[in-house]
Amino acid sequence: MMALSWLLVLLAITSTTISTNPGVTVRLTDKGLQYGKQLGIAALQKELQSVHIPDYSGSEHVSPIGKVTYSLTNMRLVNTGLPRSAVNLVPGTGVRLTIGDAFMNLHGDWRVKYLRIIKDSGSFDVNVNGLTISTTIAVKSDETGRPVVSNTNCVATVGSAKVKFHGGASWLYNLFSKFINKALCKALQEQICPLVDKTVAGLNPKLKTLNVLAKVDKYAEIEYSMVSSPAVSQSSIDLNLKGEFYNIGKHQEPPFTPAAFSLPSENNNMLYMALSAFTANSAAFVYNKAGVLSLYITDDMVPKSSPFRLDTKTFGVFIPQIAKQYPGLMMKMLVRAEKNPSVTFQPKNATLQATGTVTAYAIQHNGTLSPLFVLNLESSVSADVFVRGLSVAGHLTLNEMKLSLGTSYVGPFQVGSIDSALRTVLKIVVIPIVNVQLDKGYPLPALGKMNLVKPQIQIMKDYMLIGTDVDFTG
Ligand SMILES: *[C@@H]1O[C@H](CO)[C@@H](O)[C@H](O)[C@H]1NC(C)=O
Ligand SMILES: *[C@@H]1O[C@H](CO)[C@@H](O)[C@H](O)[C@H]1NC(C)=O
């Protein structure tokens, strides 16, 4: 007993250490489940139209008439109703669907022959009432990391069938009612669960549209495959996704891993998506690795309306040696990240810290670049994030900037004297260019044909949370 419990403790520890924290969690709430139920019931109702009741024929001895041969043909469903249904979460498994008080109305033709020569025919209506269906839909992860559902433990029962004949003699009614009742109940019981199976299986092609590898641009893609089986609790289904940016084609892991985070117990929306700081930082890692976090700045990138020009005259105001040694020349600057920029999420606060260098050059008349100085730059920018369509986009504003001198090629000078010039360069050139990129947006995890309805976004500790309703068009 002792040994066994130690083994269990060991297993528990091992499995927590090897488990992977998700970068992104998508939560389906009860409200989302109820919306899903509406779609599911509509799909099932459509599927039930294909219930097929076989023709019946045979003969029976009826006294005092003798042998009666009969046939019931062309039975078809004219109406079906699923007025009462419920879905509940089954922790650890998936979803339980129960349907009660369902009904079906059928119409068919009857035909009899007796006393050798007498033939009669007419039609009939059947009302099947008290149909109940209950089933459990298991939610799992498939081999591609997408959710997959399967139907288990389906039970269908038929309450009663009432037959109303049109035409014919009343003694026939008793004869048929018995058969129709039995035949119908059997046929329906045999066919309903397979049709429920088919309806549930029909969800899988839709779930397969989850964008497990979402392309961002020519450098990056985001992996949204599940890192573990869906977690079904009393109140939600959580899909734990990798949520990691990768260089297209070469998936190199960054030197950091996702921290565990837990979602608040809100349930006003159908869906919540939590995107961790890890996801944002994996983006920074990828773009830095791709070598795209550097930018040459020339005067033509400075808005015409600005009095600030990128030339030795302007910088000569702050560092007189520049105007003296390189009079009347235009300048060029290289701003480059020296480390992976890092994103932190604090409640209501998304901040990006970037460390880099700024190298300034004078452009000689023959095109040669003469270096003037190299500065070390530490900047902190705040990010506004917003949802557009099925993407999350951002907008940065400069918070703080710290400069220190790396190298000077023009003799000693006070770094503080060009602080405002550098701040201007960041504000009117660098950040607007970054913002154009961020404004293009980054794809969220989504199923095909899904739309977000009134998404709201808030920054929480270590993640940003998008709460939204959804609808599926088509
Ligand atoms: C946001 O957080 C950063 C550090 O993560 C801090 O420097 C900054 O002052 C905060 N901004 C606000 C508005 O609280
Ligand atoms: C370009 O002009 C500068 C300054 O006049 C000079 O020092 C340099 O040698 C020139 N370079 C070339 C390639 O002509």
Side-chain angles (χ1 to χ4, degrees), residues 161-329:
K162 279 209 182 69
V163 191
K164 188 163 192 255
F165 289 94
H166 309 290
S170 61
W171 61 264
L172 287 168
Y173 298 3
N174 295 334
L175 170 65
F176 291 148
S177 287
K178 191 172 79 189
F179 286 102
I180 291 178
N181 246 313
K182 231 164 90 192
L184 263 178
C185 290
K186 183 167 179 288
L188 290 177
Q189 267 165 16
E190 280 172 2
Q191 290 180 41
I192 287 172
C193 279
L195 290 172
V196 174
D197 283 350
K198 204 174 155 198
T199 310
V200 171
L203 282 174
N204 285 327
K206 297 189 173 79
L207 295 173
K208 289 251 182 290
T209 63
L210 176 68
N211 50 347
V212 292
L213 211 52
K215 187 168 186 227
V216 179
D217 52 30
K218 64 180 171 179
Y219 306 107
E221 57 196 1
I222 315 176
E223 191 172 331
Y224 282 132
S225 55
M226 286 195 274
V227 293
S228 54
S229 274
V232 184
S233 71
Q234 296 281 0
S235 57
S236 65
I237 301 180
D238 285 358
L239 305 183
N240 292 317
L241 313 181
K242 194 157 198 181
E244 181 168 351
F245 278 72
Y246 283 114
N247 266 108
I248 284 179
K250 37 181 192 296
H251 284 198
Q252 188 187 355
E253 296 302 324
F256 47 85
T257 53
F261 60 93
S262 56
L263 275 70
S265 55
E266 285 179 42
N267 54 11
N268 300 326
N269 290 287
M270 295 179 188
L271 205 66
Y272 289 90
M273 295 187 217
L275 283 72
S276 68
F278 167 81
T279 301
N281 283 317
S282 71
F285 172 75
V286 163
Y287 288 108
N288 194 26
K289 264 263 178 282
V292 293
L293 300 185
S294 71
L295 180 67
Y296 274 107
I297 303 165
T298 46
D299 185 66
D300 57 328
M301 293 157 80
V302 178
K304 293 261 178 305
S305 56
S306 171
F308 176 86
R309 302 313 324 167
L310 200 51
D311 57 21
T312 54
K313 184 168 168 241
T314 304
F315 276 79
V317 174
F318 312 111
I319 308 170
Q321 307 91 291
I322 290 180
K324 234 176 261 159
Q325 290 177 36
Y326 301 99
L329 296 181

Side-chain angles (χ1 to χ4, degrees), residues 326 329 364-370:
Y326 301 99
L329 296 181
Q364 300 285 359
H365 292 298
N366 61 13
T368 301
L369 295 180
S370 303

